[in-house]
Structures are given as C-alpha cells and as structure tokens.
Amino acid sequence: MTLMHQKQTIEDCVNDQVARWDLTNSIDVYLTCGYGPPLCWKLYEFEPRSEELLGQLQYLQDPVTGASQRYQKYSPPLGLTKLDTSDDTHFETYMDQLLDPQLLADEFGYTCFEEERQIDDFQAKLLDLLCGFYAQTQEYDDLHVLLRSILRMMLLTYIMGHTLTLEESTTHGVLAAIRHSRKPPSHALSIHTSPRLANRQLKFFFSVLRNQVYDQLLHWQQQTLHASTPKKEVTWLSAFCVMLGFAMVLEEVQRTIYIQADAKAAKGEMSQEQAETEAGNACERIDRRFALLVGLFQCKYRDRKWGARGSFGNQTPELVDVNERHFLGSVYSLVVQKRKHLESRKDITLLPGNQCRFTSRLVARFLLPFLGLPP
C-alpha cells in the first residue's frame, strides 16, 4: 500500500514522465485535504512526456447507493523539483496547526466521516467524543500526549486516504498559469482538481510521519500489554483509546487498499480479479492481526473483581476523574444507542462492493463485547 509513496518510486516516476521543468513558472498553490487550513506550497510547471500525469482517478461515495464511484479528472502538470528533507519542519508545523485541540473538537470528527454520515453518524460522534476528550485534558499530562499521538495517527491516515486538491477559489488562477500542455475547456472543469504529481510528492512527507506514529503507538501498546506494572486500572483508559484509534485507522486502510486495487486494474497494471484477490488477502491479514490485538486487550483488562460498577460497564475499572468518566459514559451510551448499527457492520464481508461499509466494522468488533459481560 505504501510503495507508491516511497521516495525512489516517486523519483522514478519523475524521470519517466517529466520532459523538463519550467523553473521560470512557479506558482504558490493552496491544497486542502478537506479539513483545517490549506497547505501552501510553491510548485513548478513541467512539460509532460505523455498524458499519464494530466489525469487522475478520484473516488467518491454515491450518496444514493452508498457505493464508491470512480471518476477520471484533469490534473494540472505541477510538482516539486525535488524531495528535500529540509522541508520536514514545514510539515511538522502544518501538523501542529491541524492538531489544534479546538479545531479538532470543532471539525475533525464530522469532516473525517463526512461520507459515512450520509448513512449513519455513529463513527463521526465517536471521533468527536475522542477529540473533545483530548481538548479537555491537561497539556502536559501523559494521557494528553498519548491522545495527541492517536489523533495524529488518525489525521495522517485521513490525509493519505484523500486527494490533496486545489482550493476552489484558486483553481481557475492556477490553471490559467499553465503554459506547456493542454488544458480542458473551462466548462469541463469540476471540483476537487488536483495536481497529481505534486499530490504524490507531498504525500511522501506525510507518509514518513504516518509510519513514525504507527510504529510509536504499536510499540506503546505492545509494552503496555506486556508490562506487569503499573496496576492495570492505571493504563486501562489509555490502552482503550489506542484500540479505538487502531480500529478506526485500520478500517480506513482496508478501504484504501480496495481503492488502490481498483485503480491498478483501471490502469491495466493487473487484472481486476488479481487486484481484488491481492486486496482481499491484505485486508484479511489486517482482520487477523486486529483480532489478536483485541484478544490480548481482553486477556489483560477484563477483571471480574471490578464487578458491575465500572466506568465502561461490567468488568471495567471505576475511574475517578470527572472528564474520564464523562468520556467513557458518553461512548458507552453511544454504543448502546447504536448497537443495531454496529451489529450490522461487524460481519460485513471484505469485498470491493462493501468498501464504503467497512467504517465501524472493526470498531464494532472491539466495542460490542463490552455490552455482553456479566457483572
């Protein structure tokens, strides 16, 4: 899944598809993933060797059928002349802007699951509760730091699963500056225009950050599940939040894998059957690994000694902090309220036609067992 975002793969694409760069034609471009302020970057026009980088496949969910629809869109020939590691600090600064606690609490949950909300708002409300909880924690508290990493992981996964597109108000100005290749007639332009090469190049930097936070949180969870100290009631909430983050992220990853499979088939890189088989095998491996992680969590954190007074139902610890109790109580009430929806999602089959129903599938497998625990 990450091959296309590796530096060498991108550089090979540039060598193969870019005839020359026009260093006299730089354009300040504002790109958005749909959440938060746009990313401003100086891009340069290039003269393409073929039509390859002048078009882009984008996938949107049909609001009527709920199915994912593929669209072929024009892509302006703009990119970065090189991938420079000195740019890393710019991306860290941008991530700090996107991770502002108030911005997260106001927007992220409902933006991240905007398409899913056309079907059900469970996941949007769940993420909204997590963002609100993060905003209420103290800045230098260990839980605040961990929640920031979880939301960073989710945000980077969201960015990697969405096309970086031109801000609508700037599209015509950017396209007017193109000199060396065809442009579509103005009436043929649509929303969500994206410079395909620049999108891939910028996602290289986000991909590096994503891999770092994945590794960090997997290591944290492994150490926490393995350690015998401190007492498990001390780490229960933190481990619970990490599990929620993993579940939501892995659902998005599984959906992205099927989208990439369809794109491979559409571009003739492999047959539709081969692409779908490859995607299915990868997603099944994710299912098995996540099931193992859920089992490990249950082995460590289910305890009959905690009885029926737990903050998240039977066999969970009773927490003292008001914000923690409110967060868990709100999540528990949401799960009870949406139980029927979660039951309908947890056994969704891993098939291309179901990819828009993967949301809440793994979350349900983690949360629903809490409702059936005896006191």
Side-chain angles (χ1 to χ4, degrees), residues 77-193:
L78 299 169
L80 287 68
T81 56
K82 61 180 179 178
L83 300 179
D84 195 334
T85 53
S86 66
D87 290 327
D88 290 351
T89 54
H90 294 293
F91 287 91
E92 285 291 354
T93 301
Y94 183 59
M95 289 301 298
D96 286 342
Q97 290 179 322
L98 298 184
L99 285 165
D100 174 74
Q102 196 57 55
L103 181 62
L104 286 168
D106 289 344
E107 296 184 22
F108 188 47
Y110 290 91
T111 300
C112 187
F113 296 109
E114 181 177 2
E115 290 183 323
E116 171 66 10
R117 282 193 296 132
Q118 299 168 10
I119 302 170
D120 193 277
D121 63 358
F122 166 78
Q123 198 101 321
K125 287 184 174 179
L126 178 64
L127 182 51
D128 190 53
L129 288 172
L130 192 64
C131 291
F133 183 40
Y134 167 65
Q136 292 168 348
T137 55
Q138 297 298 314
E139 186 173 351
Y140 298 105
D141 184 87
D142 288 345
L143 181 59
H144 179 91
V145 174
L146 182 68
L147 289 171
R148 182 180 178 85
S149 294
I150 295 168
L151 292 170
R152 181 183 177 92
M153 173 179 69
M154 296 194 64
L155 179 56
L156 286 162
T157 302
Y158 169 81
I159 291 172
M160 295 301 293
H162 289 74
T163 305
L164 297 173
T165 62
L166 300 174
E167 283 216 309
E168 299 304 325
S169 61
T170 69
T171 300
H172 287 284
V174 170
L175 297 186
I178 302 300
R179 303 170 181 170
H180 303 293
S181 61
R182 67 165 179 86
K183 291 181 284 189
S186 57
H187 69 268
L189 288 176
S190 61
I191 60 173
H192 307 311
T193 301

Side-chain angles (χ1 to χ4, degrees), residues 240-251:
F240 175 84
C241 291
V242 171
M243 288 294 294
L244 284 181
F246 284 160
M248 287 189 272
V249 159
L250 291 173
E251 291 166 355

Side-chain angles (χ1 to χ4, degrees), residues 57-61 68-71 115 259 262-263 266 355:
L57 295 178
Q58 291 184 21
Y59 292 78
L60 298 172
Q61 185 170 322
S68 182
Q69 297 291 323
R70 181 206 311 151
Y71 298 89
E115 290 183 323
I259 287 175
D262 185 78
Q355 62 183 260

Side-chain angles (χ1 to χ4, degrees), residues 129 185 248 330 356-357:
L129 288 172
M248 287 189 272
S330 298
C356 291
R357 295 194 290 161

Side-chain angles (χ1 to χ4, degrees), residues 79 208 228 273 279 326 328:
V208 171
S228 57
E273 183 180 2
H326 177 73
L328 289 174

Side-chain angles (χ1 to χ4, degrees), residues 272-284:
Q272 191 76 37
E273 183 180 2
Q274 288 174 320
E276 290 177 5
T277 299
E278 181 183 76
N281 290 339
C283 289
E284 285 172 5

